[in-house]
Amino acid sequence: MEETNWNYFDSDLTELILSHLPIPSIIRSSLVCKSWQSIITSSSFNTRVLTRKRPWFFLYGKNNVFLKNNQVFAFDPESDEWIKLPVSASLLSKDLFTGSNGFCFTITHENFSFKPVLSDSWSQTSPLRFSRCNPLLGVYDVPDKRSKLPRFIVAGGASFIGNLVDLGDRLAVEIYNPNQDFWELCPPLPANFWPGNSSQWLCSALFKRKFYVFGIYSFFVSSFDLEKRFWTSVQTLRPPGTLFSYLISLHDRLILAGLCNNIGSSPSFVLWKIDEETLEFSEMEIMPQELLTCLFDSSDNDDRFASLKCVGFGNLIYVFNEEHHKHYPACVFEMSNYSGKCRWRRLPSLPLPVNKFHKIVSFCSNVYLDVFRNN
């Protein structure tokens, strides 16, 4: 066959073709020639890819003994494979690591840094107004053409004075404006969230310009209007029999995902669709029992279900067992944006076992391709 002459394609057609490739292939393609690199690093291509690609699932294992043994794994749903990412020296120096909507973050007391998920270039903001530990974090865009970066909202997390917990400011909420490098102090979390105010006990979801905070075990829920800057009254959102649950935003719907204790039968993992106006719930999907079983070992102790974790973004919800310290079996729920059909499937095994003494941090995130500007 004659070799294809890519020079005959205009840049728009080349951009469309390249956007259909999996992310790893796109990254390799950027090294082919200057023309492709220019296309791939353009803002229009980045926007096209973000609207087309499904979000990645990240597992970051921090070794509590030897930092050099830290590991980062990323699951690409397009190629259906795990990728072991290199752990840079800059990441080894970070105490706390999390991610959301295309960005990674580190928060150590008043220090806050961020970067695109595949970049090694960190940006540090001005200090937070309050010291934090394991706060909730959200990323949202604003209709401001002057800013290429979104806003970051940080809520809760025990604050510190010296090495002592400051009980008075555990509910503080701040929003970062990258244009001015300024942290805006907002109305605090409602008092109902005071006993367990960190991401160990709470989860959050951004949906229709609102930042939802939900108690994983308390089932309290409230939302913060990102434009008018106020919290709604606290309500309880708990379908009958639910042991614990996570609130997740998937495109056009708000979803509650949790473990339900069924009388006379084994527990099940259920998804409920939530009406954001009334907070009424309706059952949407149940994880196949064989998938739920594969997330655990042979133990019949129901306490094993307490180690289930759930993260979601875009059209995917990942469920995994954080107590497995080698392969971390996981499954994913995918909802079609067009047909409305849903399916569950098991993820392939990690490419190699996770080292011992790890604290696992997980998140689901879009992958921004403008990282090439920083590398």
Side-chain angles (χ1 to χ4, degrees):
M1 296 177 63
E2 295 183 4
E3 292 185 5
T4 301
N5 189 342
W6 286 83
N7 294 326
Y8 289 137
F9 295 115
D10 61 29
S11 59
D12 289 341
L13 182 56
T14 303
E15 177 179 304
L16 177 62
I17 294 172
L18 291 174
S19 69
H20 283 273
L21 295 175
I23 296 292
S25 298
I26 292 176
I27 295 174
R28 289 191 291 268
S29 298
S30 69
L31 304 176
V32 171
C33 61
K34 291 183 178 180
S35 174
W36 285 16
Q37 184 182 55
S38 176
I39 290 173
I40 290 172
T41 57
S42 67
S43 58
S44 62
F45 184 82
N46 194 71
T47 302
R48 186 192 292 270
V49 169
L50 284 179
T51 57
R52 184 183 301 277
K53 298 300 181 185
R54 290 173 287 178
W56 286 21
F57 175 47
F58 291 85
L59 284 177
Y60 172 65
K62 182 176 180 181
N63 192 286
N64 298 325
V65 180
F66 302 107
L67 291 179
K68 65 179 182 179
N69 289 334
N70 288 4
Q71 295 170 291
V72 181
F73 299 95
F75 177 74
D76 176 16
E78 300 287 335
S79 57
D80 194 36
E81 64 177 349
W82 285 99
I83 302 169
K84 187 179 186 301
L85 301 179
V87 182
S88 63
S90 64
L91 188 57
L92 289 176
S93 64
K94 306 298 182 181
D95 293 330
L96 177 64
F97 181 76
T98 187
S100 177
N101 197 15
F103 288 90
C104 297
F105 303 94
T106 65
I107 306 170
T108 306
H109 302 317
E110 299 92 355
N111 299 320
F112 186 98
S113 302
F114 67 92
K115 72 177 185 69
V117 290
L118 294 183
S119 171
D120 192 37
S121 178
W122 289 88
S123 299
Q124 185 161 347
T125 71
S126 57
L128 287 157
R129 289 172 176 257
F130 296 98
S131 179
R132 309 277 186 167
C133 181
N134 295 325
L136 297 174
L137 196 148
V139 180
Y140 68 98
D141 293 314
V142 292
D144 186 351
K145 296 181 179 180
R146 298 173 301 169
S147 178
K148 294 182 179 180
L149 290 174
R151 299 284 196 271
F152 306 141
I153 180 170
V154 179
S159 57
F160 292 83
I161 298 178
N163 292 322
L164 301 177
V165 176
D166 179 14
L167 301 181
D169 294 314
R170 300 178 73 178
L171 302 175
V173 176
E174 302 177 54
I175 292 180
Y176 180 68
N177 184 336
N179 290 329
Q180 304 171 357
D181 189 24
F182 174 75
W183 287 97
E184 173 193 351
L185 189 61
C186 299
L189 281 165
N192 302 66
F193 297 111
W194 187 88
N197 63 88
S198 74
S199 56
Q200 293 178 306
W201 308 99
L202 302 175
C203 64
S204 60
L206 280 159
F207 187 70
K208 293 184 178 180
R209 311 298 297 172
K210 293 182 179 180
F211 181 68
Y212 286 82
V213 173
F214 178 76
I216 299 171
Y217 304 100
S218 69
F219 306 100
F220 290 143
V221 62
S222 178
S223 64
F224 180 71
D225 191 303
L226 294 168
E227 295 177 355
K228 299 179 180 179
R229 301 290 202 265
F230 72 89
W231 289 94
T232 61
S233 59
V234 177
Q235 300 185 55
T236 300
L237 177 58
R238 184 180 188 180
T242 307
L243 302 177
F244 60 86
S245 53
Y246 296 84
L247 193 63
I248 297 170
S249 172
L250 292 191
H251 284 317
D252 63 341
R253 64 187 67 186
L254 198 61
I255 290 177
L256 191 68
L259 192 73
C260 192
N261 190 16
N262 303 312
I263 299 176
S265 61
S266 301
S268 57
F269 196 86
V270 185
L271 304 183
W272 295 272
K273 181 180 178 181
I274 306 300
D275 186 306
E276 69 272 15
E277 298 295 333
T278 64
L279 292 183
E280 294 180 350
F281 52 85
S282 56
E283 187 176 295
M284 192 175 75
E285 285 285 330
I286 300 179
M287 180 190 293
Q289 197 63 36
E290 61 271 18
L291 283 184
L292 183 60
T293 302
C294 81
L295 297 179
F296 305 96
D297 53 27
S298 59
S299 172
D300 293 328
N301 185 358
D302 284 345
D303 290 341
R304 69 191 189 279
F305 291 109
S307 57
L308 277 182
K309 288 199 69 176
C310 180
V311 293
F313 189 74
N315 64 337
L316 300 176
I317 297 177
Y318 293 96
V319 185
F320 78 105
N321 182 357
E322 67 175 349
E323 288 300 320
H324 276 258
H325 297 293
K326 288 187 177 180
H327 296 287
Y328 288 90
C331 61
V332 61
F333 167 81
E334 181 172 3
M335 182 175 63
S336 171
N337 298 336
Y338 305 103
S339 65
K341 294 182 179 180
C342 306
R343 67 169 180 147
W344 292 90
R345 63 188 174 96
R346 183 176 180 178
L347 267 59
S349 299
L350 289 174
L352 70 163
V354 175
N355 295 325
K356 293 182 179 180
F357 311 112
H358 265 68
K359 174 184 178 183
I360 288 291
V361 177
S362 63
F363 61 93
C364 184
S365 179
N366 272 343
V367 179
Y368 281 142
L369 289 172
D370 58 4
V371 300
F372 298 114
R373 298 191 186 98
N374 300 319
N375 294 333

